Amino acid sequence: MTARPLSSEDLGEKGEHRFAELCSDLTVNRVTRDRAGFDYIVDFRLPTDGKNLDSRPAPISARVQVKTHWADRDEVRLRLSAAEQLIKHPGPSFICALAAEADADGDHSFVRMHLIHCQGEIVERVLKRLRQAEADGKMPNAIWLTVKTSDFGPALAVRSSALKRGLQEACAADALTYLTAKVRELKTVGFGPESKQIKVSFTGRADDVIDAFLGLRPLDVTDIVENQTRFGITLPLDTFPPGPAQMRISPQAERWDVVATTRARRYRFKGKALRVPALIPAALGRQKILVRAGLMQITLTFDKTTFNVSFARNQEVELEAVRKIVDWRDLYAILAAMTQDGASFSLRPVKVTDPLRLDAHDPDADTGPEWRTFARLTAAAARVFEVAGRPNAKASLQTLWAAGDDLTTLAALIDAPDTVTGLSFTTSTTIALPRDRPIDMLLGQAFEVGDRVIGVGASLVATAEDKGDEIVWSAPSLKVLGVQQVRSKSEFESFLASLPRQSYTVITGLYQTPNPSIFAIGDA
């Protein structure tokens, strides 16, 4: 071992004094108790570049850890805990390594200097050692970091001008830019594209697990562990509490083109498909795909030997969901067709050329009567709102069901009045209408469809029959003159006034006249 004229402690103290001398043109403040990873705060003087005092930038301010070593060695050592505080400082920070030589008389001098800027490689090395220390269960203050000074560029002359120039070049960016880059480096360095991994342990029947991965039900989880890999070292994260839980999975949908063809027409949809990740079917031996097109859901289930398909309303759409009435119509027209003349389907992912073709015909389906009933209802509602000038109106299926009698009767009167039986209504004996002959009449009725009001005006020839305490009016048929969505009684009356005039006008329904009258139409 080479004999040294000074102890390491004495050499370190002289190195710190020499560094302070090198800062003669700067403002230097020494830390009396080095517990924060640095020895000095070095401040440049305020600039005098002619700018207004309130506009000139803040001067450079840096933290510096001074390390000394003998010139025949090319390394310095510092505790990992000190290095951590130094590199994590958001502002500029440096290790200034001063190399000393001793002559034959035992006198010493500092012959070269390395200014190691705490960014880039040194930051990576410190963060990696910190992560490894955690993996090994060691404390940073018990670990020494050895830094080879020549790894960080050529040596500088031990002069004030060289030190000042080195600090200026390293801190060329303005303070905000420097801070942003430093924070980004500390947060991102060492991470790969798939740095986080979640390990989920779960139980359940195969069908329940598949439905959970399709987002149809929660997954019963026995344990969840999230790990993070940085610098190739994997450590657990305390993201999830230990123990059982339930997890909801939101799968990413694929774009599919869906074409449904019935005897009446062809329907085209920009659909979305959900499928179970490949690992799950591989483990369970089966696959399931949900294709959602409009308000319809097509479910494909298959394994190595069987293939099944089913059709229903999209499970995401409840009966109380508000949707376009024409979308409800299209859904139930297709479903009902499958229980009557049949329907065919063409399904394909947008990036696939050849579609999957399916035929669906099940006249004995248990859901057939329900589907056909809804098909008639929604077709009638769509027709009424089309004639009323609101083809894109929205409503829930529950709302349409509540107004079903009015909607189906009116739709029949619009398109097939001959299929509607005669109508009758009553008035009091005091109403001023002729009773000795048939009379031309404009009948106005208004009814509610949820929060909307549909007004109807129809012409008819009515005949009176005196029943003693009331007058019963009957007509073999009527002709719809107009249908309009209205917002008030006055708007309804204006709508009726715009229709061809008849000898008498009677208003029934929501806006009936003060002298009550009852409007009753037979079944369509």
Side-chain angles (χ1 to χ4, degrees):
M1 179 179 293
T2 305
R4 304 297 189 189
L6 292 172
S7 66
S8 296
E9 184 177 344
D10 290 339
L11 181 63
E13 185 175 347
K14 291 185 178 295
E16 291 178 10
H17 285 298
R18 181 64 179 124
F19 176 82
E21 292 171 356
L22 295 172
C23 296
S24 58
D25 194 30
L26 305 169
T27 301
V28 61
N29 295 286
R30 183 173 183 177
V31 178
T32 55
R33 299 185 66 188
D34 180 6
R35 297 292 179 86
F38 63 98
D39 298 308
Y40 291 95
I41 297 176
V42 178
D43 295 323
F44 280 61
R45 303 186 190 282
L46 284 164
T48 55
D49 53 6
K51 289 186 178 181
N52 294 333
L53 297 182
D54 61 317
S55 302
R56 62 183 177 179
I60 297 171
S61 180
R63 292 184 175 185
V64 181
Q65 172 74 50
V66 179
K67 304 300 293 185
T68 56
H69 62 100
W70 294 106
D72 58 352
R73 302 185 64 180
D74 186 22
E75 60 186 32
V76 294
R77 298 172 73 235
L78 66 161
R79 291 187 187 274
L80 185 58
S81 55
E84 177 184 6
Q85 295 191 67
L86 195 62
I87 65 140
K88 288 184 177 179
H89 175 58
S93 55
F94 299 85
I95 300 171
C96 181
L98 292 169
E101 280 187 348
D103 58 21
D105 298 328
D107 293 329
H108 74 279
S109 60
F110 291 101
V111 294
R112 66 176 183 270
M113 172 175 63
H114 279 88
L115 191 63
I116 302 171
H117 188 193
C118 290
Q119 67 172 17
E121 181 183 346
I122 189 67
V123 171
E124 292 188 33
R125 288 176 60 181
V126 173
L127 292 178
K128 185 175 182 179
R129 287 292 300 274
L130 285 168
R131 193 165 184 84
Q132 188 62 57
E134 184 176 356
D136 296 339
K138 297 179 179 179
M139 299 300 295
N141 62 359
I143 298 174
W144 287 92
L145 181 72
T146 300
V147 179
K148 189 175 181 181
T149 58
S150 58
D151 288 343
F152 296 91
L156 304 178
V158 187
R159 296 195 182 97
S160 297
S161 58
L163 176 62
K164 184 177 181 179
R165 184 170 58 253
L167 292 172
Q168 283 179 318
E169 291 174 354
C171 305
D174 66 84
L176 181 59
T177 302
Y178 188 99
L179 172 63
T180 302
K182 185 68 170 287
V183 171
R184 183 172 58 248
E185 179 182 34
L186 291 171
K187 285 185 175 181
T188 61
V189 67
F191 289 113
E194 298 179 356
S195 59
K196 288 186 178 180
Q197 312 89 34
I198 297 180
K199 180 181 178 181
V200 180
S201 302
F202 55 86
T203 61
R205 296 169 50 250
D207 290 340
D208 292 340
V209 170
I210 287 176
D211 284 349
F213 276 89
L214 290 172
L216 303 180
R217 66 180 308 276
L219 184 66
D220 294 322
V221 174
T222 57
D223 193 31
I224 308 177
V225 177
E226 183 176 16
N227 294 320
Q228 185 181 60
T229 300
R230 189 178 194 183
F231 301 111
I233 303 167
T234 301
L235 294 174
L237 298 175
D238 295 331
T239 308
F240 304 100
Q246 283 194 328
M247 175 186 289
R248 279 280 183 184
I249 298 173
S250 298
Q252 186 172 1
E254 304 172 4
R255 291 186 298 146
W256 281 40
D257 289 331
V258 179
V259 178
T261 305
T262 68
R263 185 176 181 179
R265 59 170 287 194
R266 174 173 291 183
Y267 304 83
R268 296 182 179 274
F269 302 98
K270 294 296 183 183
K272 293 182 178 181
L274 304 176
R275 71 170 76 204
V276 180
L279 289 175
I280 304 300
L284 300 179
R286 70 187 76 174
Q287 175 62 288
K288 185 174 184 178
I289 301 175
L290 300 183
V291 182
R292 289 168 175 161
L295 301 183
M296 181 173 56
Q297 178 170 292
I298 305 170
T299 304
L300 311 173
T301 55
F302 51 92
D303 54 28
K304 292 181 179 179
T305 59
T306 61
F307 178 88
N308 294 297
V309 60
S310 62
F311 302 84
R313 185 183 74 251
N314 186 338
Q315 294 181 24
E316 289 186 324
V317 181
E318 302 294 338
L319 295 180
E320 62 270 20
V322 176
R323 296 291 188 272
K324 284 186 177 182
I325 297 174
V326 291
D327 290 342
W328 287 119
R329 176 200 63 191
D330 293 349
L331 166 66
Y332 284 104
I334 296 170
L335 295 178
M338 292 189 298
T339 70
Q340 295 171 314
D341 299 321
S344 62
F345 295 87
S346 169
L347 303 88
R348 68 176 183 87
V350 292
K351 296 182 179 180
V352 175
T353 303
D354 296 327
L356 171 66
R357 301 188 185 278
L358 304 170
D359 291 320
H361 186 209
D362 187 4
D364 299 323
D366 293 338
T367 53
E370 174 189 322
W371 288 350
R372 291 190 290 272
T373 298
F374 282 137
R376 289 191 293 270
L377 168 63
T378 55
R383 179 61 173 144
V384 167
F385 277 91
E386 176 189 10
V387 175
R390 296 290 189 272
N392 294 318
K394 296 181 179 181
S396 70
L397 201 59
Q398 285 183 338
T399 294
L400 300 181
W401 181 262
D405 290 343
D406 290 323
L407 290 168
T408 52
T409 300
L410 179 54
L413 288 171
I414 292 170
D415 292 327
D418 293 342
T419 65
V420 181
T421 60
L423 62 91
S424 65
F425 62 93
T426 64
T427 66
S428 70
T429 57
T430 60
I431 194 166
L433 290 174
R435 308 174 196 171
D436 56 345
R437 67 185 185 279
I439 60 173
D440 295 332
M441 187 180 294
L442 174 63
L443 186 63
Q445 185 188 17
F447 62 91
E448 293 177 308
V449 183
D451 58 357
R452 300 170 184 266
V453 176
I454 297 296
V456 185
S459 64
L460 63 139
V461 178
T463 302
E465 183 180 357
D466 193 339
K467 293 292 187 179
D469 59 345
E470 64 181 5
I471 305 298
V472 177
W473 298 85
S474 59
S477 63
L478 77 165
K479 178 182 179 181
V480 175
L481 300 176
V483 180
Q484 181 174 304
Q485 180 178 311
V486 296
R487 291 170 292 183
S488 64
K489 181 178 180 180
S490 61
E491 188 174 332
F492 176 56
E493 291 173 344
S494 297
F495 157 67
L496 293 179
S498 71
L499 300 176
R501 284 191 170 275
Q502 307 296 320
S503 300
Y504 300 92
T505 299
V506 175
I507 297 177
T508 66
L510 185 63
Y511 301 130
Q512 67 183 14
T513 53
N515 193 346
S517 55
I518 302 172
F519 178 44
I521 299 181
D523 294 333

